Amino acid sequence: MTMAVNSVPSPSAGRRQVSWGTPLTYAIALAIAAVSIAPVVYVVIGGFRTTPQIVANPAGLPDPFVWDNYARVLTQSNFWQQAFNSAVIALGTTLAVVVLGLAAAFVLARYSFRGREGLYTFFTLGLLFPAGAAILPLYLMLRDLNLTNSYYAVILPQVAFSLPLTIVILRPFLAAIPKELEDAAAIDGASRLGFLWRIAMPLSRPALVTVGVLAFVASWNAFLLPLLVLSDVSLHTLPLGVQNFSSQYTTDTAGVLAFTSLAMLPALLFFTLAEKQIVGGLQGAVKG
Amino acid sequence: MTSANQIRTSAGDASASPAGPHRAGRPSARQADTRRKWYEIIGLTAPAIAVYVMFVLVPMGFAVYYSLYRWRGVGPPTEFVGLRNYTLAFQDPIFLDALRNNAIIVFGSLLIQGPIALAIALLLNRRFRGRSVFRLLVFVPYVLAEVTVGIMWKLLLTGGGTVDAMLESLGLGSLVQPWLADLDLVIWTLLAILTWKYVGFAIILLLAGLSNVPDELTEAAAIDGASWWQIQRHVTIPLLGPTIRIWMFLSMIGSLQIFDMIWVTSVPAVRSLGASATMATYMVDNGFFARLWGYGNAVAVILFAISFVAALLFQRFLLRRDIEGAITGKVK
């Protein structure tokens, strides 16, 4: 997290460069930001128009401004139920990934035993397994275990597929904790598990938040797995809800826009709060 | 659970204990500690190993097994057909179309997003007011669910929709196309949408990598009289190598698995004609919805094998490049 404000730029960097660079920098930054955000803004604003308005003038602004679409989605659709399901599944996945990943990464980082590197490789192999490729046999397995149409059907596979990356990110973090700290803790009477609980875990909090955020976002946005294992509508997550709503009410463009922008909202809010963590985690992960 | 067993068999091995200054405790005490250490190792790793084996490795094993049968998913598979499902897949023009589409998405993503993201990251690699706001905005498409983004673009691209209206207002009405319905065009439209969604991720990753490039190096090059472009070309970009490779790897694996975006944006008819199908959509269409479970699992194995080989080749190729950088001429 090198977010600290830079000290005085060295003269060698050339003040000349900054003076003509800055407007260019801003122009590029603005253009990119506009392209990134414009379609999203359009969808949000479109939710405040009526379908006839949109059909008559697709690129226009709301005139008059109507709240009906949003109100309708929030009161008459399954939006709340789906948001709740998404939240339960994403939180359950995140919690399990962080706990299991931390325990395994701690052993792989701070215990020396025969087979350690083999075990680490065994986990990293999971990075090469595309989750999509396993979806059919996963469905069959969950069906045979009578787990389909339950939160577990989505949570367990998501945890399994998030573990490799979690362990890859956490291991160097835990390995970097100085041996002296561990020795000091041992002298003070802490066991190895006490060291994990009292020292290693608090120290690796930034990394834990990073893997937690990544697992949460992946789970919140997942579509293929819930699509196959949740046939019960009352268990549907938001991505399934958006898809159903848009195919059910094809003529209600304004309603679909409203539902879509409401479905975007939680992810955007959550992300705005956790953005620094994500970027910070990526920064740690790409340290070459 | 084999690895846990391996660990247990080596548990009695004294050499497993860490080398280091040992307190001269009684041997029994040391043995007790070693035993406890192994309990901890097994206890802490077992849950992760169990979930991982159960939901990642076992399904992949079953996929291979089912793929050898002709099976409708009811009762145990009995009709063994060997590799016939695989030969059938490679004889189906729609599957070959899906392969072609995956290739377009893999290489299209790398070739379009890479240069764009690199150029933007290099130009923005200086601190300016509002940089964090910019970072936030650029990341927005990446954070949104692919489904949501797909529905959004589907609405924007409908005939006579927003995109068409904007082209009209710019006097480019002649360019208006059936973006998602034209069988030759749909895959390129999808590539454009995927570029919009994922280029921000590449930019952020590269900016994160750039923040790890020490200022001293670029400053030293500047003092030596190197131009801005020379500095980027000979100092910054080479140092970004690991970051670029991580991004390429993630992008490639992601592109091979593309499903959600295709599923929600193009109508089943366009998909079933192969125009917008990918390996993943083909697999789900045939395996899950048409209940050709044996066949679908064969496609799953093909998808996995292609991803795996691509990943291995990538690693091999990169490893060699990295070694060349360090030890000249020593190529495995």
Side-chain angles (χ1 to χ4, degrees):
Chain A
M1 297 307 295
T2 44
M3 291 308 298
V5 180
N6 208 6
S7 51
V8 186
S10 63
S12 62
R15 207 154 303 146
R16 204 171 16 132
Q17 202 186 76
V18 175
S19 64
W20 67 258
T22 309
L24 176 71
T25 305
Y26 277 107
I28 293 166
L30 275 174
I32 304 290
V35 171
S36 303
I37 204 83
V40 179
V41 172
Y42 173 84
V43 169
V44 175
I45 292 176
F48 290 110
R49 309 175 72 204
T50 62
T51 302
Q53 272 185 49
I54 296 169
V55 171
N57 178 11
L61 285 168
D63 176 37
F65 212 83
V66 291
W67 289 92
D68 291 9
N69 306 307
Y70 284 102
R72 197 158 25 104
V73 167
L74 290 174
T75 52
Q76 292 171 26
S77 70
N78 302 325
F79 179 84
W80 293 108
Q81 175 73 50
Q82 287 156 1
F84 175 79
N85 293 335
S86 277
V88 170
I89 288 171
L91 287 171
T93 302
T94 306
L95 189 71
V97 165
V98 170
V99 171
L100 297 186
L102 175 67
F106 180 72
V107 168
L108 290 166
R110 305 205 69 92
Y111 284 63
S112 41
F113 55 95
R114 240 177 47 187
R116 183 179 75 173
E117 294 312 306
L119 185 61
Y120 180 65
T121 308
F122 174 73
F123 275 117
T124 53
L125 272 181
L127 292 174
L128 306 181
F129 285 70
I135 201 79
L136 293 186
L138 253 177
Y139 166 81
L140 292 166
M141 197 172 85
L142 292 163
R143 188 190 68 177
D144 294 343
L145 294 169
N146 282 327
L147 275 176
T148 46
N149 283 324
S150 72
Y151 290 141
Y152 295 112
V154 186
I155 292 175
L156 289 168
Q158 281 180 352
V159 171
F161 279 96
S162 303
L163 270 176
L165 184 64
T166 303
I167 288 170
V168 167
I169 292 178
L170 288 181
R171 188 192 190 196
F173 228 94
L174 291 160
I177 298 171
K179 186 87 178 90
E180 291 76 15
L181 273 179
E182 197 171 353
D183 294 339
I187 289 167
D188 290 343
S191 63
R192 280 182 297 259
L193 295 181
F195 168 75
L196 164 63
W197 182 249
R198 290 206 181 85
I199 297 170
M201 202 165 80
L203 277 181
S204 49
R205 229 187 78 179
L208 291 175
V209 173
T210 298
V211 295
V213 167
L214 289 174
F216 187 94
V217 172
S219 168
W220 186 268
N221 290 341
F223 177 68
L224 177 52
L225 179 66
L227 175 75
L228 299 200
V229 300
L230 302 176
S231 52
D232 180 348
V233 178
S234 68
L235 289 171
H236 274 190
T237 56
L238 270 178
L240 297 180
V242 175
Q243 158 73 352
N244 289 343
F245 193 91
S246 74
S247 53
Q248 218 172 338
Y249 303 101
T250 38
T251 51
D252 181 10
T253 309
V256 175
L257 286 171
F259 197 112
T260 308
S261 60
L262 282 171
M264 288 179 185
L265 209 61
L268 287 177
L269 279 177
F270 174 77
F271 173 69
T272 311
L273 297 174
E275 182 251 358
K276 278 207 162 49
Q277 287 292 348
I278 298 182
V279 176
L282 289 175
Q283 228 149 9
V286 301
K287 270 212 165 81
Chain B
M1 299 305 298
T2 49
S3 56
N5 286 330
Q6 273 165 12
I7 290 170
R8 206 169 291 124
T9 53
S10 61
D13 200 338
S15 69
S17 64
H22 253 299
R23 278 184 308 126
R26 296 193 311 281
S28 60
R30 203 169 340 132
Q31 263 169 12
D33 185 58
T34 305
R35 197 173 325 128
R36 235 187 71 193
K37 191 184 90 170
W38 279 103
Y39 286 147
E40 286 169 15
I41 289 172
I42 292 162
L44 288 172
T45 54
I49 293 173
V51 171
Y52 173 66
V53 169
M54 178 92 187
F55 294 98
V56 178
L57 301 184
V58 169
M60 284 315 301
F62 270 115
V64 175
Y65 166 71
Y66 291 138
S67 73
L68 303 174
Y69 289 83
R70 187 161 159 205
W71 182 47
R72 305 287 294 189
V74 186
T78 50
E79 202 182 334
F80 184 83
V81 294
L83 296 178
R84 192 155 149 266
N85 286 325
Y86 293 89
T87 51
L88 282 175
F90 284 106
Q91 282 163 3
D92 182 3
I94 306 296
F95 179 68
L96 297 179
D97 279 344
L99 278 176
R100 183 208 59 199
N101 290 337
N102 270 119
I104 289 174
I105 294 170
V106 168
F107 292 107
S109 298
L110 291 176
L111 295 173
I112 298 168
Q113 288 176 37
I116 293 177
L118 187 60
I120 290 169
L122 289 176
L123 287 165
L124 295 178
N125 183 32
R126 44 176 83 97
R127 290 186 178 75
F128 57 91
R129 268 181 191 284
R131 184 163 172 231
S132 52
V133 177
F134 163 78
R135 251 186 7 187
L136 197 66
L137 294 181
V138 164
F139 225 177
V140 162
Y142 175 68
V143 179
L144 297 175
E146 233 175 80
V147 175
T148 323
V149 168
I151 305 270
M152 182 181 90
W153 280 103
K154 193 177 169 181
L155 290 166
L156 292 169
L157 289 165
T158 48
T162 315
V163 172
D164 290 359
M166 287 179 108
L167 285 171
E168 299 275 3
S169 67
L170 292 169
L172 298 167
S174 57
L175 287 179
V176 169
Q177 306 277 350
W179 304 106
L180 291 166
D182 183 299
L183 296 184
D184 294 325
L185 185 69
V186 62
I187 189 67
W188 303 103
T189 306
L190 285 163
L191 183 61
I193 297 175
L194 288 167
T195 303
W196 175 83
K197 186 175 189 319
Y198 288 106
V199 75
F201 177 65
I203 293 172
I204 300 287
L205 211 57
L206 290 171
L207 280 175
L210 282 168
S211 69
N212 294 326
V213 172
D215 288 339
E216 296 82 19
L217 290 174
T218 49
E219 278 168 20
I223 289 169
D224 290 342
S227 68
W228 183 83
W229 169 242
Q230 283 176 312
I231 295 173
Q232 306 307 317
R233 168 81 188 73
H234 296 289
V235 180
T236 314
I237 295 176
L239 285 171
L240 270 183
T243 310
I244 294 173
R245 287 192 287 269
I246 288 174
W247 168 74
M248 285 172 77
F249 182 80
L250 294 173
S251 172
M252 181 181 75
I253 297 291
S255 299
L256 285 170
Q257 295 187 62
I258 275 295
F259 174 88
D260 307 7
M261 185 73 79
I262 314 279
W263 196 259
V264 298
T265 47
S266 64
V267 284
V270 174
R271 228 174 33 233
S272 62
L273 290 166
S276 64
T278 60
M279 283 188 282
T281 63
Y282 182 87
M283 173 183 90
V284 172
D285 269 326
N286 284 284
F288 186 84
F289 287 100
R291 300 220 159 81
L292 303 169
W293 284 101
Y295 186 62
N297 273 299
V299 176
V301 174
I302 295 170
L303 168 56
F304 168 70
I306 290 175
S307 305
F308 198 76
V309 169
L312 286 180
L313 284 175
F314 196 81
Q315 295 231 335
R316 232 359 238 273
F317 165 75
L318 292 181
L319 209 63
R320 191 157 45 179
R321 282 242 331 249
D322 285 346
I323 287 171
E324 264 176 2
I327 313 154
T328 341
K330 195 173 178 188
V331 179
K332 271 192 182 168

